[in-house]
Amino acid sequence: MSSGNPRNVLNILNKIYELLSFEGKSFYSQESIDIETQTKAINQAAKYFAEEDSNYGSLSDKAKKAMFKFAAYLATARYALNIPESSPLAASFKDEDLNREAKEVYNLAVEFSLIQEMPDPRSDRNSKQLHKLIKLNPMLSPLWNLPVVYRGDLTLNADILNAIFDPENTSFDEHLNRVKRKWNSIHIDQLDTNLKQNVGSTAKLPEQGKLPF
């Protein structure tokens, strides 16, 4: 979760220390720290990282807005009925798809460690072209109940990419609602066909809105 950053480790330990002190317990005792305290500390550390530890004025504000959009996109994927990738914390895209304004904000998000660039690029499964691979800083994962490690990555096309990072682009909600519908749709016609094949072609399915008994 700390990504090997000592500052993040100290942030988490500091929150644990504060919670234990509030409860009248010693941080230095030999007793194990209970899960509830650890969970509270991690959530508080994540909130501190998002609100205070990366607060550098208007530039960081732009980066944070982009980070919030990116995280919302990842969370939408994770909690979808038809989850597009397991443990979605990362995304890949073509670097040239970023317009100039989006590129500036993207670089700020990386500079402020809100988003992390992965050392190895992602090879597109179709074109074999190398794509940039990024992930949300795991320190922020608790704010959206996202994983702290990733397995798969989402592919961002130019439209959604610039909707996330271009501060003048106002189409993000439209794109997010579109993928919500896509990832949460249930294909009733296909479901009916599969059911008929399983129970027999002569079986009659209940009408929509009616109980089968």
Side-chain angles (χ1 to χ4, degrees), residues 55-86:
N55 189 6
Y56 298 98
S58 60
L59 292 180
S60 62
D61 288 343
K62 290 182 179 180
K64 284 181 185 179
K65 288 179 181 178
M67 175 270 291
F68 272 83
K69 292 178 184 178
F70 182 49
Y73 193 82
L74 294 173
T76 299
R78 187 184 189 193
Y79 295 102
L81 289 176
N82 306 308
I83 183 169
E85 289 290 348
S86 60

Side-chain angles (χ1 to χ4, degrees), residues 17-63:
Y17 178 86
E18 290 178 350
L19 287 169
L20 290 176
S21 297
F22 180 78
E23 296 171 359
K25 300 177 182 178
S26 174
F27 178 81
Y28 303 100
S29 73
Q30 299 300 313
E31 297 180 4
S32 299
I33 301 172
D34 61 274
I35 295 297
E36 183 179 358
T37 299
Q38 292 184 49
T39 302
K40 287 181 180 179
I42 286 173
N43 287 330
Q44 289 183 15
K47 187 175 181 180
Y48 177 82
F49 181 85
E51 296 180 355
E52 303 293 338
D53 209 25
S54 56
N55 189 6
Y56 298 98
S58 60
L59 292 180
S60 62
D61 288 343
K62 290 182 179 180

